[in-house]
Amino acid sequence: MADISTRKADHLDLAIKGDVGFLAKTTLFECVTLVHDALPELDLDAVDTSCEVLGKKLSAPILIAGMTGGTERAERINRELAAIAEARGYAFGLGSQRAILKNPAALSSYAVRDVAPTTLLLGNLGVVQAAKLPTSDVAALAAQVGADALCVHLNPAMELVQKEGDRDFRGGLDTLERLVNELPVPVVAKETGSGLSSSVAERLKLRGIRHVDVSGAGGTSWVAVEMHRADGVKRGVGETFRDWGIPTAASVALVARHGFDTVFATGGIASGLDIARAIALGATVGGIARASLQALEAGGREGALAFFDRIEAELKAAMLLVGARNLAALKKAPRVIRGELADWLAQV
Ligand SMILES: Cc1cc2nc3c(=O)[nH]c(=O)nc-3n(C[C@H](O)[C@H](O)[C@H](O)COP(=O)(O)O)c2cc1C
């Protein structure tokens, strides 16, 4: 347990203050231009950002993506961010619940239902851990926190660099299929910053997975996070693979072709305009992890609320300026795709 607690503390410190972005790679949202409408015939106040996701209504297509749990500091962060999600009508993700498996007392650091009773709440567990557990134990983890759905995270790149990381990734697809068939809550197949390809999307779809979080490249690099914690050969591998992954915009567009019910677009979402671009490419919701945490750490609840005010205002501005009254219209908004993103979509 001390091991996981130390790692979680390292992760929070590095995510808040560390040099953990991608070096050269971006999300490629900058390659998407939404086409301006000079005659929108819309009242900004009537622009509707609401949507239904996994059976719950959100006021805006925003997910505060899963980050933490397992320590007292994690508990404070989870409760603050979950309360904001409740107040604003966003979705909220918990960090990996693996710590509960090692120490059942850690459950309190994931307990947010009292401050977020109606929020769309996503539990979280790694596919490698899930593979070793009977479905009833995984179901218990989701039920203990009152999760509406369970994110099963895929993170081979970071594990290869992590000092204590997993090495054997066999059976991931079988595990996901088993959980989809046997869990009482929906499963979200979630990357952690390296993105989902079209081929992975196809394999997931064939096994019955209906919800994904692409968590693409261009935001937080988990290889970079683990690189800072590693030494020797692993540090070298981290330095070389720091920019590994599929840019978020490319991943969203590639995955959207496969017709999932829900596509969370997480990974380097930096503005409401990025969320608008993601939705125009086929996403359902934009997810924000590190920037939410940084806003909370820098400015407390008020700072985080101000951050989300800006995100929502930018999303609404983008919708008005393309003449989209609601998210269904935004999905169909004309857009120009150029540069490297066009290359990705033409070649993969
Ligand atoms: C401090 C921190 C901890 C994270 N822990 C988890 C985790 O436990 N499980 C998971 O699926 N993703 C985890 N993530 C990954 C995020 O959910 C997200 O996929 C990734 O950081 C990319 O989004 P971003 O660029 O907005 O940070 C974590 C991210 C941060 C910043």
Side-chain angles (χ1 to χ4, degrees), residues 253-272:
L254 293 169
V255 162
R257 294 172 177 169
H258 295 270
F260 289 94
D261 292 359
T262 316
V263 177
F264 293 98
T266 305
I269 295 275
S271 67

Side-chain angles (χ1 to χ4, degrees), residues 15 65-67 95-96 124 153 190 192 215 219-220 222 266-268 288-290:
M67 284 183 275
S96 170
N124 192 295
H153 69 252
K190 175 184 184 300
T192 49
S215 189
T220 309
W222 276 89
T266 305
I288 307 176
R290 182 162 53 117

Side-chain angles (χ1 to χ4, degrees), residues 36-42 320-323:
H36 176 60
D37 183 340
L39 279 172
E41 294 294 336
L42 287 173
L320 182 123
L321 293 174
V322 298

Side-chain angles (χ1 to χ4, degrees), residues 61-347:
I62 297 174
L63 162 72
I64 302 177
M67 284 183 275
T68 198
T71 64
E72 271 180 36
R73 186 176 174 202
E75 179 170 336
R76 180 183 59 76
I77 291 167
N78 275 337
R79 294 179 67 78
E80 293 265 20
L81 291 176
I84 288 171
E86 177 76 21
R88 289 296 174 88
Y90 307 154
F92 178 74
L94 293 163
S96 170
Q97 293 173 247
R98 186 183 189 181
I100 304 173
L101 297 170
K102 305 262 176 187
N103 172 20
L107 176 60
S108 62
S109 63
Y110 300 85
V112 297
R113 267 299 182 214
D114 57 323
V115 294
T118 68
T119 299
L120 174 60
L121 179 64
L122 309 179
N124 192 295
L125 190 66
V127 71
V128 174
Q129 282 70 52
K132 296 174 188 147
L133 293 174
T135 307
S136 54
D137 287 7
V138 180
L141 279 177
Q144 280 166 344
V145 298
D148 296 300
L150 182 73
C151 290
V152 178
H153 69 252
L154 320 175
N155 60 351
M158 86 177 258
E159 292 288 341
L160 291 183
V161 180
Q162 188 179 105
K163 279 192 279 189
E164 326 79 348
D166 296 310
R167 295 290 174 272
D168 183 355
F169 302 98
R170 290 173 297 176
L173 212 43
D174 285 346
T175 301
L176 284 162
E177 183 178 29
R178 167 170 64 91
L179 295 177
V180 166
N181 289 332
E182 297 177 9
L183 273 185
V185 292
V187 169
V188 180
K190 175 184 184 300
E191 239 290 341
T192 49
S194 299
L196 300 175
S197 66
S198 189
S199 153
V200 167
E202 187 176 6
R203 281 174 270 158
L204 290 171
K205 198 74 203 307
L206 283 171
R207 299 292 194 105
I209 286 89
R210 291 163 46 201
H211 316 282
V212 293
D213 183 337
V214 304
S215 189
T220 309
S221 164
W222 276 89
V223 171
V225 172
E226 294 300 349
M227 175 197 79
H228 289 298
R229 300 180 62 249
D231 44 35
V233 169
K234 293 214 173 90
R235 177 138 192 140
V237 174
E239 284 167 4
T240 301
F241 284 83
R242 177 176 184 156
D243 269 17
W244 183 260
I246 304 161
T248 303
S251 191
V252 168
L254 293 169
V255 162
R257 294 172 177 169
H258 295 270
F260 289 94
D261 292 359
T262 316
V263 177
F264 293 98
T266 305
I269 295 275
S271 67
L273 176 56
D274 281 350
I275 295 180
R277 288 159 156 163
I279 289 172
L281 292 178
T284 319
V285 167
I288 307 176
R290 182 162 53 117
S292 314
L293 177 64
Q294 286 173 322
L296 180 70
E297 287 293 310
R301 183 183 163 88
E302 290 313 308
L305 287 170
F307 169 76
F308 286 113
D309 282 343
R310 197 201 86 200
I311 299 282
E312 282 198 55
E314 290 165 344
L315 171 61
K316 277 195 160 186
M319 290 173 70
L320 182 123
L321 293 174
V322 298
R325 181 184 311 279
N326 54 31
L327 296 176
L330 177 59
K331 267 190 196 302
K332 295 190 210 125
R335 73 269 194 292
V336 177
I337 294 177
R338 58 189 172 73
E340 194 182 332
L341 183 56
D343 294 344
W344 273 93
L345 301 190
Q347 292 179 36

